[in-house]
């Protein structure tokens, strides 16, 4: 068995099976065997099953949130937010299942009709991370099932309990065995089973860029389709003309979600020189009041880091920045609560050559950089191998437009720190991966386009 512990205090939360390779293969067999019947179901039938699942989970939101808090460490309000977000994907794709439309195209011959249909890609697999134990599962499986694909999921071994609870509710809703399968065990062994089984036609992965690249090269052998949502290094740019209070509030909310352990977390905060000092003071005042505590404690906003490795990475990056000349305005060390808690930290006097500028921090650290001009900051924002999201605050419409074109990333978010819901295409470019999740674009990742030419129609 794999034991799951609470990052807040190391206590036992539960356990899940540590499956052997042959057990994983058997689950893949079920996923593949279930595909023909599931793909032939009416869109309406698939939609109704997803809707039923959505309703059952919604009734027990609080119970799901508590499991998330216990295995992931995030605060209860954060967990409730994740559930709303994650439920949104089941609801959205329950609706979208009915709208996988094809095309007819004006024909090149008078006795012919060109028809384009979208067929389910086949049996699929997914591997998910620990930072959103609920939403990462719903976002992938709801899309796959709506498109007519079956899916086998390997959740993170750090947070599998939420995933298994979701599976239990899917069964209660009537989603059959094989259509939605789950496996836990050795990540590499399971990954190898998924990537080497030629019946699996698509893999969706969210996690580190390093593992994403390994999986992508393994998938190359069979030319499997992939959706890869990998690391980020999000710039968060605040211009002198921004709505100041909105920018402060947007930054703090976006940065502290899941205690900073989010791929879209603002990772390089660029503030224009006219407001830099005032902005740093306002953010500091706000962050200094934030409660750091275990997630079920009501006023808690920042919880523990997920594990020792995560904590050490954050501590090392802050220490190195300090050695390279950064100023620690707030925090800068492990929290006095001990364990895996780290103080919300604000760093200034940074430059782009420091290690922190090119690292995904994954912790409650605000690195604030100073900039002079729009041209300069766009160049600096793009100076990263990643390209997931960029945030900017400005009230100048022309500037907002130029930024939306000039910034190299899959998502550009203006004048808010909230990226969105199930209805938007989430995803990145460059080393942040490819493919989109959410919206009608998400479903395109799970279908194959088939062109049918019906000719000889005049006979
Ligand atoms: P993180 O650093 O966010 O934990 P990882 O990429 O290590 O990111 O983990 C994301 C997911 O990938 C987890 O479910 C993990 O178990 C899985 N994973 C890690 N290594 C491998 C591997 N070699 N093959 C397949 N999956 C893996």
């Amino acid at each position: 068995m794999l034991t799951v512990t609470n990052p807040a205090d190391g206590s036992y939360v539960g356990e899940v099976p540590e499956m052997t390779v042959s057990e994983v293969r058997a689950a893949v067999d079920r996923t593949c065997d279930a595909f023909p019947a599931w793909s032939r179901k009416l869109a309406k039938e698939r939609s109704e099953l997803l809707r039923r699942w959505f309703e059952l989970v919604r009734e027990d939101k609080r119970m799901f949130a508590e499991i998330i808090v216990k295995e992931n460490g995030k605060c209860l309000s954060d967990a409730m937010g994740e559930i709303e977000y994650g439920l949104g994907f089941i609801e959205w794709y329950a609706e979208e299942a009915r709208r996988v439309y094809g095309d007819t195209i004006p024909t090149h011959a008078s006795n012919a009709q060109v028809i384009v249909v979208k067929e389910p890609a086949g049996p699929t697999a997914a591997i998910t991370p620990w930072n959103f134990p609920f939403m990462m599962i719903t976002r992938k499986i709801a899309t796959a099932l709506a498109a007519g694909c079956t899916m086998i999921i390997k959740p993170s071994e750090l947070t599998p309990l939420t995933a298994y609870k979701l599976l239990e509710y899917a069964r209660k809703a009537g989603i059959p065995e094989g259509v939605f399968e789950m496996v836990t065990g050795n990540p590499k062994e399971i990954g190898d089973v998924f990537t080497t089984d030629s019946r699996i036609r698509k893999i969706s992965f969210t996690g580190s860029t390093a593992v994403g690249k390994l999986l992508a090269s393994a998938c190359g052998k069979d030319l499997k389709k992939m959706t890869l949502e990998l690391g980020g290094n999000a710039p968060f740019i605040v211009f002198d003309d921004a709505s100041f209070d909105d920018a402060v509030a947007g930054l703090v909310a976006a940065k502290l979600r899941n205690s900073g352990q989010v791929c879209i977390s603002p990772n390089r905060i660029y503030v224009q020189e006219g407001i830099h000092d005032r902005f740093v003071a306002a953010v500091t005042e706000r962050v200094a009041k934030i409660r750091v505590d275990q997630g079920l404690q009501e006023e808690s906003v920042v919880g523990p880091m997920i594990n020792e490795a995560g904590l050490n990475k954050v501590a090392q990056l802050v220490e190195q920045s300090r050695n390279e000349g950064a100023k620690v305005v707030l925090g800068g060390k492990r929290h006095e609560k001990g364990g895996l808690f780290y103080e919300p930290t604000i760093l200034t006097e940074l430059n782009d050559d420091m290690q922190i500028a090119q690292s995904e921090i994954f912790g409650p650290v605000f690195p604030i950089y100073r900039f002079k001009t729009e041209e300069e900051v766009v160049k600096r924002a793009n100076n990263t191998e990643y390209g997931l999201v960029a945030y900017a605050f400005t009230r100048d419409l022309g500037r907002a437009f130029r930024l939306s074109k000039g910034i190299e990333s899959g998502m550009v978010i203006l004048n808010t720190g909230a990226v969105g819901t199930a209805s938007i295409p989430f995803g990145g470019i460059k080393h942040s991966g490819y493919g989109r999740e959410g919206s009608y674009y998400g479903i395109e990742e799970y279908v194959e386009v088939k062109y049918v030419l019906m000719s000889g129609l005049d006979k």
Side-chain angles (χ1 to χ4, degrees):
M1 297 297 261
L2 292 171
T3 302
V4 181
T5 55
N6 186 334
D9 56 12
S11 61
Y12 171 89
V13 186
E15 54 192 17
V16 295
E18 189 168 10
M19 294 181 183
T20 62
V21 167
S22 59
E23 285 172 313
V24 174
R25 290 218 171 97
V28 171
D29 286 344
R30 290 195 293 278
T31 309
C32 298
D33 293 346
F35 175 71
W38 181 253
S39 63
R40 282 197 296 266
K41 260 195 188 314
L42 293 177
K44 179 176 186 296
E45 292 172 312
R46 291 199 293 262
S47 165
E48 281 168 358
L49 284 169
L50 284 169
R51 182 78 207 180
R52 177 93 193 105
W53 183 33
F54 163 77
E55 280 161 4
L56 288 178
V57 176
R58 187 171 56 175
E59 279 165 25
D60 287 336
K61 274 195 288 201
R62 170 79 190 207
M63 181 268 294
F64 273 94
E66 288 184 9
I67 302 175
I68 296 176
V69 173
K70 282 188 199 145
E71 65 177 355
N72 165 282
K74 69 176 65 176
C75 302
L76 188 62
S77 55
D78 236 355
M80 291 301 281
E82 176 183 347
I83 286 180
E84 289 304 331
Y85 186 20
L87 274 172
F89 285 96
I90 313 181
E91 185 181 35
W92 174 270
Y93 284 108
E95 293 159 2
E96 205 65 12
R98 299 168 185 252
R99 286 183 252 291
V100 186
Y101 297 156
D103 263 322
T104 57
I105 297 178
T107 163
H108 52 275
S110 58
N111 66 346
Q113 176 75 63
V114 171
I115 301 171
V116 178
V117 289
K118 291 181 182 165
E119 295 188 336
T124 64
I127 297 177
T128 59
W130 48 266
N131 59 350
F132 289 91
F134 181 97
M135 182 278 287
M136 289 290 177
I137 305 288
T138 61
R139 162 148 109 180
K140 295 186 192 302
I141 184 89
T143 324
L145 267 46
C149 298
T150 55
M151 181 174 258
I152 181 167
I153 300 189
K154 188 204 86 59
S156 166
E157 55 284 5
L158 300 174
T159 58
L161 299 171
T162 312
Y164 274 106
K165 191 53 85 179
L166 274 166
L167 177 69
E168 182 190 319
Y169 274 60
R171 292 281 184 274
K172 264 200 243 178
I175 295 174
E177 199 179 59
V179 171
F180 178 8
E181 284 288 324
M182 194 162 288
V183 286
T184 37
N186 180 298
K188 169 147 188 357
E189 280 177 11
I190 297 174
D192 287 347
V193 172
F194 288 176
T195 52
T196 55
D197 193 314
S198 59
R199 296 170 300 172
I200 299 279
R201 292 314 309 146
K202 188 221 158 76
I203 294 185
S204 176
F205 172 76
T206 301
S208 61
T209 297
V211 173
K213 286 181 181 174
L214 284 176
L215 293 170
S217 49
C219 283
K221 201 165 154 285
D222 266 340
L223 301 177
K224 289 189 203 310
K225 285 163 100 72
M226 285 203 93
T227 300
L228 291 170
E229 202 263 278
L230 310 175
N233 185 2
F236 188 105
I237 308 169
V238 187
F239 287 90
D240 286 345
D241 65 18
S243 167
F244 187 87
D245 294 344
D246 289 351
V248 172
L251 172 65
V252 174
K255 181 74 233 185
L256 295 183
R257 189 165 302 126
N258 200 19
S259 311
Q261 303 169 108
V262 183
C263 52
I264 56 169
S265 194
N267 208 56
R268 292 169 295 151
I269 302 148
Y270 293 106
V271 184
Q272 203 163 15
E273 56 184 358
I275 55 163
H276 176 275
D277 295 353
R278 194 158 68 90
F279 189 83
V280 170
V283 172
T284 306
E285 192 191 336
R286 210 175 170 108
V287 175
K289 294 190 196 127
I290 290 236
R291 172 126 181 204
V292 178
D293 212 331
Q294 58 96 357
L296 292 177
Q297 174 58 248
E298 289 248 327
E299 284 115 40
S300 174
V301 174
V302 172
M305 299 294 92
I306 187 71
N307 57 19
E308 201 66 43
L311 175 70
N312 288 339
K313 182 179 175 196
V314 174
Q316 182 270 325
L317 278 173
V318 171
E319 216 30 59
Q320 178 151 354
S321 304
R322 199 196 305 258
N323 294 337
E324 288 172 335
K327 181 173 164 200
V328 180
V329 178
L330 185 75
K333 57 184 190 311
R334 287 160 199 254
H335 197 274
E336 61 188 17
K337 295 188 88 61
L340 300 176
F341 291 92
Y342 195 84
E343 290 182 346
T345 294
I346 296 176
L347 303 174
T348 58
E349 311 308 324
L350 298 158
N351 66 60
D352 299 355
D353 296 330
M354 293 178 176
Q355 194 199 352
I356 198 165
Q358 292 300 334
S359 307
E360 190 177 27
I361 304 167
F362 251 57
V365 180
F366 295 73
I368 304 184
Y369 303 73
R370 195 188 291 268
F371 77 92
K372 284 195 172 70
T373 69
E374 179 185 324
E375 197 187 356
E376 167 208 338
V377 81
V378 169
K379 217 162 153 191
R380 290 172 70 186
N382 288 339
N383 179 24
T384 168
E385 65 182 12
Y386 295 109
L388 188 55
V389 64
Y391 305 86
F393 277 72
T394 175
R395 278 182 292 194
D396 179 327
L397 199 54
R399 171 175 279 158
F401 183 69
R402 289 191 297 276
L403 288 170
S404 75
K405 293 178 91 69
I407 292 207
E408 295 164 4
S409 66
M411 302 180 282
V412 176
I413 308 297
L414 299 165
N415 298 324
T416 174
V419 170
T421 65
S423 56
I424 60 99
F426 187 102
I429 59 170
K430 294 158 77 179
H431 287 208
S432 294
Y434 45 74
R436 295 292 176 267
E437 296 187 296
S439 77
Y440 71 87
Y441 291 99
I443 221 158
E444 299 292 324
E445 309 269 333
Y446 289 87
V447 298
E448 296 287 0
V449 168
K450 182 183 270 178
Y451 151 57
V452 180
L453 175 63
M454 297 179 71
S455 197
L457 295 178
D458 55 347
K459 295 284 169 356

